Amino acid sequence: EPEVTQTPSHQVTQMGQEVILRCVPISNHLYFYWYRQILGQKVEFLVSFYNNEISEKSEIFDDQFSVERPDGSNFTLKIRSTKLEDSAMYFCASSHQAGALREQYFGPGTRLTVT
Amino acid sequence: DQQVKQNSPSLSVQEGRISILNCDYTNSMFDYFLWYKKYPAEGPTFLISISSIKDKNEDGRFTVFLNKSAKHLSLHIVPSQPGDSAVYFCAASPLSSGSARQLTFGSGTQLTVLP
């Protein structure tokens, strides 16, 4: 069964450093998402991406964040200058379409630890 | 901002019995609802969904009920099995002119099925 994959599984970085989190969505999916879950809190939406552009973004997704689909398979989240409060699990998700079938399929997550 | 609420942080059920997980929402713009299951150190796994034009959707042991007037949905698992022990998240997606629709998650309910 096809699945969303994410690398790395755990990333430790120092405050102020740039990180890139990588995702490979399910191959025939067209819509891509990033969510995060700070320890003990809800899963929160960050950004959605369709047709090579951002579709929606939340207040969390400020100028320090960017997303890219550099080729036909990868979908990346970049944090330019990490802060301590960026420590969280980051989940990538993809969906085939946004209409009748809106199920989003999630990857296993990348645990980001900012020290 | 608690647009999707799961008021029970935990639920314990005997194996073979019915598990009922509840979810309330406040945003009238939500028109699609999903349940996800999450094991520790994994991403959310899609279980079942329901559109606002329906009041029930069934898939094997899982049934989701939607009461739009009460802005309430529930997930029934019957019979419950020890492997069902996980955190269950309710999520909602809005009717939107945008093409990719973010999910808003509840805080989750830890289900423990006792053998």
Side-chain angles (χ1 to χ4, degrees):
Chain A
E1 187 172 321
E3 57 183 22
V4 177
T5 59
Q6 291 185 245
T7 54
S9 57
H10 190 189
Q11 174 89 48
V12 181
T13 189
Q14 287 193 321
M15 195 167 54
Q17 296 295 304
E18 173 183 288
V19 294
I20 297 176
L21 310 183
R22 291 182 167 80
C23 168
V24 178
I26 294 172
S27 63
N28 65 342
H29 283 187
L30 303 174
Y31 301 85
F32 314 113
Y33 311 82
W34 283 101
Y35 292 81
R36 78 173 185 191
Q37 186 179 28
I38 294 171
L39 188 63
Q41 297 187 22
K42 290 186 181 186
V43 176
E44 301 173 288
F45 169 78
L46 292 178
V47 65
S48 58
F49 192 85
Y50 169 69
N51 201 24
N52 283 319
E53 60 183 25
I54 290 174
S55 182
E56 289 181 308
K57 59 183 181 179
S58 71
E59 292 174 352
I60 303 167
F61 194 88
D62 61 22
D63 292 343
Q64 293 298 313
F65 291 87
S66 62
V67 289
E68 196 176 36
R69 188 154 162 83
D71 52 44
S73 59
N74 289 284
F75 180 50
T76 63
L77 174 69
K78 182 193 292 187
I79 309 175
R80 252 180 283 282
S81 176
T82 51
K83 302 187 281 272
L84 293 175
E85 54 265 38
D86 294 327
S87 296
M89 282 291 290
Y90 286 81
F91 296 107
C92 173
S94 68
S95 64
H96 180 59
Q97 57 181 279
L101 295 173
R102 263 181 267 170
E103 293 83 15
Q104 295 179 21
Y105 293 86
F106 284 75
T110 293
R111 178 172 297 285
L112 176 65
T113 302
V114 182
T115 61
Chain B
D1 177 12
Q2 291 215 52
Q3 296 188 68
V4 178
K5 288 183 277 191
Q6 293 176 258
N7 291 319
S8 298
S10 63
L11 174 69
S12 290
V13 170
Q14 209 67 38
E15 181 179 5
R17 299 288 186 101
I18 185 171
S19 297
I20 300 176
L21 298 115
N22 293 303
C23 178
D24 297 293
Y25 63 96
T26 57
N27 189 339
S28 300
M29 296 302 289
F30 290 145
D31 75 331
Y32 199 76
F33 304 90
L34 308 92
W35 284 95
Y36 285 85
K37 177 170 76 172
K38 187 179 180 304
Y39 295 116
E42 293 185 14
T45 301
F46 170 73
L47 274 177
I48 193 169
S49 61
I50 188 167
S51 164
S52 60
I53 62 172
K54 294 186 173 181
D55 55 19
K56 178 182 173 181
N57 188 26
E58 192 171 351
D59 184 2
R61 296 186 298 115
F62 302 92
T63 303
V64 55
F65 294 92
L66 175 62
N67 182 335
K68 277 192 300 182
S69 60
K71 292 193 175 68
H72 176 84
L73 63 154
S74 60
L75 174 68
H76 293 209
I77 307 172
V78 57
S80 302
Q81 299 171 353
D84 295 331
S85 297
V87 177
Y88 287 77
F89 290 99
C90 169
S93 172
L95 180 64
S96 163
S97 59
S99 55
R101 302 174 198 182
Q102 61 175 282
L103 294 179
T104 299
F105 281 84
S107 53
T109 297
Q110 171 70 57
L111 174 67
T112 303
V113 180
L114 305 167

